């Protein structure tokens, strides 16, 4: 599959927006202006951008910690994101849940719970639910290298395989789970080696190259849409910052960071946009500038919004009450 | 009116809702052609077809997690756990995922988890557990526990229609041990309302599940033998529980015995005793009493299990002590 | 005497036992070179080496299940859960496997599960949970919950030496918020014995964890403002709990306030209220009162979490109502 | 590896003893003389016999429902077994746990909990514990085809691989999990296809041929003893009766049962014993006869023993009390 200009530019926009928001969040954290921790997907923006570019209106996403780009790709605005991080009353979780734990029913994006792996079966079930109702739906379930060690990962992938549910299990192998390197996490060569054990296809992709990913996965997604079954994807990428901003990630060798810094997904996407004639440097700069001001405005607007009212604490524990 | 066992009541409730609403679907281990370990869903595959009734791998977390996904997309999945005990492999899905989603996101999660529980038949430590104490401590869950065939049906109908995750505890001992005449139509029994099974003014027993029947028996014996009138209340829904009925009963009777089949510490009886102590202190003529299993795994041998599990004899004795306090 | 934070107390207890007994080993996510998410075990890898201190994959069930295997072969494994919340993926290992093995087979299972818990810092629903209500309902577990640095050390020493599975709850808010002078030597603090933190005869507060500090503050305020003497009891061990100390305190004070940070229904406060209602009914001058969080997931935003979590202000108000009942 | 006569005969003895005990249990069930259900490993006796033949004194076993032969192979007596099934005071669990839920600390055999998969990490940890103390230990963890779908299976196998723990994960693929056929349980071709995903070796064996299994696995067990690592074994076999005796297993096609009936492990072992010159038919009959009377006597003796005393109900919930 060859990507068209619209998709190419859309991916670039998603990545730029994601980066701009997260840079702001990082700054806010170090200024002491964020309540709680800050966790980003810095350097991993391509996976969410590429999968969102392949997804249709009824598709389901269950993003993990590092997948702000998936949220943005599915339609989350900078405003939604800041409202969430600032715990605003009108944000996606109304201040009840924190940071990356938000979603959007309209966008088919689920708000993750923290227990790693636990959202994969939710993704599988949501796709089953939509398909039961006759909708053409495919799922995109994100998980880290560390998250593949959970029982939930195994149960859910096997369940999807047995029930023929079209879900892309997107493993973002970013070399570390918090401080734990992959050699203390698993012993197979590549995590896609697990695919055979579920009787499904496994595909390795360069997780920093959105264009290549979209081109490689496009036909696969179309195929599982028609012939429903899960597929396991392992995207090689790198967490370019600490687990959270409190973490100096001194346990990561500098050479490894340097190697991936040289392959920054946004730099690469800009180069590809130029090469394909979708946007030259000036056009990309202009886009980045526009996005930056959307992000700046959104932050300011969210900051001015109200916080949740303590009197609402016990409302909505149950639906329908 | 038709005669129905407890198990038939469950089956009828499930069947009625599946006929009513095609978004009700059912899955679990061995529940399709085989009809489930207890044969509750026998015939369902034929009637409702493989899209609505299917087997799953032995993967409780995937079962419950996928039910959450389906429920948030318009279905009303009913998941059968083969035994409640095995639900403990997926507590994070029940508590953190199913029960907290609405509070966090405003999206309802209408799932019903059918959990066969309780002992009395030599099931041993892993096929006899009573887990309501755990589930009632999880914010966002509803917990239902019928004692009679009609309630089994009507509460299941309500559980399935409820927009929240409901733990539906079904007592295995009662499956074939209780029968009653019930109306043909499967009307819902509202959640959150206790049932007064027997009236009386000398003491009240607060109980649920299999212990309702043991309590009624004990109450009848103290009536026959000593002329006491003992009210018996079947809580039916444990979360949210029916505070009003409990408090009115305490006001009327002034003596309270709480009976349940599961462990004592932090069990549901502790919650009821705490409620009474907080809100009906001035109405009591004697200390609240709990008659529960001890904090011990459910033992296998009949001698041990009999000693473990409350029954009419033990309840009668506790009642007499309470009445003569 | 040395000054120690709560976190340093935990570290010191762990270190003392690892120096004492080479069968004490430690594992969990990120606990080796990195020292754990909260840096409790910083330096342990260097001191004790990779055979005794190692990282694990993100596999709570394998971590706890393998600890059971080790414990039954002569080791005394200490498992660090990154957050207590994640232990909910392995409840069957904790409850059905670790806690029931001795009763079933006579083989002791000396494991210690370190579980950072509690809120007050914007952790949101999945990094702030208080789970003692659940653990106390599981037969065969011991449950420990220190409030002070010295107790954190001494109770951990006892937990590790205990031949049973012990849930060691450590309150994250207290890690760096409390300090005290403690002896150099890490003597064990016996399990099952509550601590009287403050004396008084007008009312008693039964509490544990972070709420001990809030309660002491509230007690001091009512002393200063209204001249009341309020006893504060830190339960320290929740299972088995110190019935004698509780009952003596009730006998002395006649008014009881129970305070905890976790949810209300079937929480540990329900158990304490039930105990008092059963065994000290005649000693009460006012109904037992529970001051707990509501049955709500722990919310993130500070406004909401403040409303959610009991604190000195709320406790003071409840105390005044109780004292003036 | 070629098996010697001692091992060959020992395996035959173990299988005959297992069969004789289970036939008695089956009869007792249908006579209404057993409290609770009866679950056997009828037709699956070879796996336990072969692994026990390969095991050393410090090895660890975590048997599942169908592995009475592993208990017997590790030294359990018929008396132990009947005491357990009859809930006798002096039985392995003193009447506290039921039927297959027993073990023996001396034999290195663990009493299973019911939650499938949950004993695999225990096996891994027990081997780690013994090796930490300098003992030469290998583990044998049994699991059914159905049990491989649990999260615990995945977590434990991965954990063992990462920690280099020598454990034989013995999957007994007997085609069904209760009524559920393997096609509703997994979608890989063979369950050993999962081995690669853990970076470990996978071996398929004929689970009804004890001699071939012992010969195939012998070198593997010796190798992992020296170079510690787990190995995944899939033994093809068949559950020749219902899930329990209450189950008429009418969901199993007759042809499938017939095919495996023709490959009954005990018949095969007798033939091999004769072929190898270890025991001719008369000698095997004599052995079977001896075993039968041991079993009969044990049953009678156990039946005469005392039941647990209700007053002991609450003792021993905690160790050291
Ligand atoms: C079941 C569970 N155990 C532990 C944690 C704590 N935890 C949060 S993130 C994390 C590391 C995740 O690593 P990985 O899956 O590789 O994702 P990454 O952070 O690298 O994107 C851990 C251990 C958790 N969230 N869930
Ligand atoms: C976690 C869990 N879920 C459900 C069950 C109920 N159960 C007991 S045995 C069984 C089938 C097991 O099948 P398999 O693993 O293939 O073993 P087999 O009986 O064929 O030997 C089931 C579902 C259980 N024991 N544990
Ligand atoms: Mg990672
Ligand atoms: Mg099987």
């Amino acid at each position: 599959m060859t990507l068209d200009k619209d998709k190419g530019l859309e991916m670039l926009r998603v990545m730029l927006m994601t980066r701009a928001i997260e840079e702001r969040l990082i700054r806010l954290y170090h200024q002491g202006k964020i309540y709680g921790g800050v966790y980003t997907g810095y350097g991993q923006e391509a996976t969410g951008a590429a999968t969102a570019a392949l997804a249709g209106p009824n598709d389901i996403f269950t993003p993990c910690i590092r997948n702000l780009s998936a949220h943005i790709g599915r339609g989350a605005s900078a405003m939604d994101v800041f409202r969430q991080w600032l715990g605003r009353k009108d944000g996606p979780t109304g201040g009840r849940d924190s940071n990356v734990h938000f979603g959007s029913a309209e966008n088919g994006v689920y708000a993750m719970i923290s227990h790693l792996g636990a959202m994969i079966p939710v993704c599988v079930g949501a796709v089953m639910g939509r398909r039961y109702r006759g909708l053409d739906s495919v799922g995109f379930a994100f998980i880290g290298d560390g998250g593949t060690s959970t029982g939930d990962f195994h149960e859910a992938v096997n369940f999807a395989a047995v029930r023929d549910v079209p879900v892309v299990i997107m493993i973002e192998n970013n070399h570390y789970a918090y401080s734990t390197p992959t050699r203390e996490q698993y012993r197979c060569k590549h995590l896609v080696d697990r695919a055979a054990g579920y009787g499904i296809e496994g595909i390795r992709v360069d997780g920093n190259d959105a264009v290549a990913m979209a081109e490689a996965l496009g036909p696969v997604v179309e195929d599982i849409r028609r012939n429903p079954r899960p597929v396991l994807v392992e995207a090689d990428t790198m967490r370019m910052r600490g687990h959270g901003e409190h973490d100096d990630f001194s346990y990561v060798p500098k050479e490894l960071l340097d190697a991936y810094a040289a392959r920054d997904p946004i730099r690469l996407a800009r180069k590809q946009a130029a090469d394909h004639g979708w946007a030259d440097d000036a056009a990309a700069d202009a886009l980045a500038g526009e996005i930056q001001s959307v992000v700046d405005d959104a932050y300011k607007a969210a900051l001015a919004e109200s916080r949740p009212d303590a009197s609402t604490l016990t409302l909505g524990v149950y639906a329908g009450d | 009116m038709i005669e129905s066992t407890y198990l038939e009541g469950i089956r009828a409730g499930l069947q009625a809702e599946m006929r009513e609403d095609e978004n009700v679907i059912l899955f679990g281990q061995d529940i399709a052609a085989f009809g489930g370990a207890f044969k509750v869903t026998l015939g369902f595959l034929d009637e409702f077809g493989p899209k609505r009734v299917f087997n799953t791998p032995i993967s409780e977390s995937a079962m419950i997690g996928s039910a959450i996904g389906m429920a948030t997309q318009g279905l009303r999945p009913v998941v059968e756990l083969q035994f409640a005990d095995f639900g403990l492999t997926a507590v994070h899905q029940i508590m953190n995922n199913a029960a907290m989603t609405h509070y966090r996101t405003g999206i309802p999660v209408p799932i019903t988890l059918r959990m066969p529980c309780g002992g009395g038949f030599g099931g041993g430590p892993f096929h006899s557990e009573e887990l309501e104490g755990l589930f009632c401590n999880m914010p966002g869950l509803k917990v239902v526990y019928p004692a009679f065939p009609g309630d089994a049906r009507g509460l299941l109908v309500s559980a399935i229609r409820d927009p929240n995750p409901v733990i539906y505890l079904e007592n295995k001992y009662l499956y074939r041990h209780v029968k009653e005449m019930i109306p043909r139509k499967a009307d819902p029994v509202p959640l959150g309302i206790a049932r007064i099974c027997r009236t009386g003014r000398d003491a009240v027993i607060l109980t649920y599940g299999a212990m309702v029947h043991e309590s009624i028996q004990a109450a009848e014996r103290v009536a026959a033998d000593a002329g006491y009138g003992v009210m018996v209340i079947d809580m039916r829904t444990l979360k949210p529980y029916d505070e009003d009925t409990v408090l009115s009963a305490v006001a009327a009777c002034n003596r309270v015995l709480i009976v349940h089949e599961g462990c004592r510490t932090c069990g549901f009886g502790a919650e009821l005793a705490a409620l009474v102590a907080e809100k009906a202190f001035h109405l009591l003529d004697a200390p609240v009493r709990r008659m529960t299993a001890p904090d011990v795994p459910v033992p296998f041998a009949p001698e041990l299990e009999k000693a473990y599990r409350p029954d009419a004899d033990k309840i009668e004795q506790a009642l007499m002590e309470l009445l003569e306090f």
Side-chain angles (χ1 to χ4, degrees), chain A residues 121-195:
Chain A
V122 176
C123 188
V124 174
V127 170
M128 290 170 82
R130 288 203 163 173
R131 294 179 82 89
Y132 181 90
R133 292 172 45 223
L135 301 172
D136 168 15
S137 181
V138 163
F140 295 86
F142 291 78
I143 189 78
D145 43 284
T148 64
S149 300
T150 60
D152 278 14
F153 169 84
H154 172 68
E155 292 196 2
V157 178
N158 183 56
F159 189 85
V162 168
R163 301 294 315 162
D164 298 319
V165 186
V167 174
V168 176
I169 317 288
M170 170 61 96
I171 303 174
E172 273 177 275
N173 192 335
N174 63 3
H175 296 65
Y176 285 86
Y178 210 149
S179 76
T180 303
T182 52
R183 70 176 170 282
E184 297 185 48
Q185 195 71 242
Y186 58 80
R187 276 296 162 84
C188 48
K189 188 135 193 264
H190 299 297
L191 283 166
V192 275
D193 299 346
R194 301 223 166 129

Side-chain angles (χ1 to χ4, degrees), chain B residues 151-164:
Chain B
D151 283 344
R153 185 177 71 182
L155 288 168
L156 183 53
V157 168
S158 295
I160 296 172
R161 292 186 192 171
D162 196 276
N164 296 287

Side-chain angles (χ1 to χ4, degrees), chain A residues 43-44 46 206-210 213 236-238 260 263-265 268:
Chain A
Q44 301 181 214
D206 177 349
N208 281 22
D209 185 340
M213 248 187 299
D236 181 88
T237 183
M238 183 67 206
Y260 279 87
R263 297 174 52 214
D264 179 76
L268 185 57

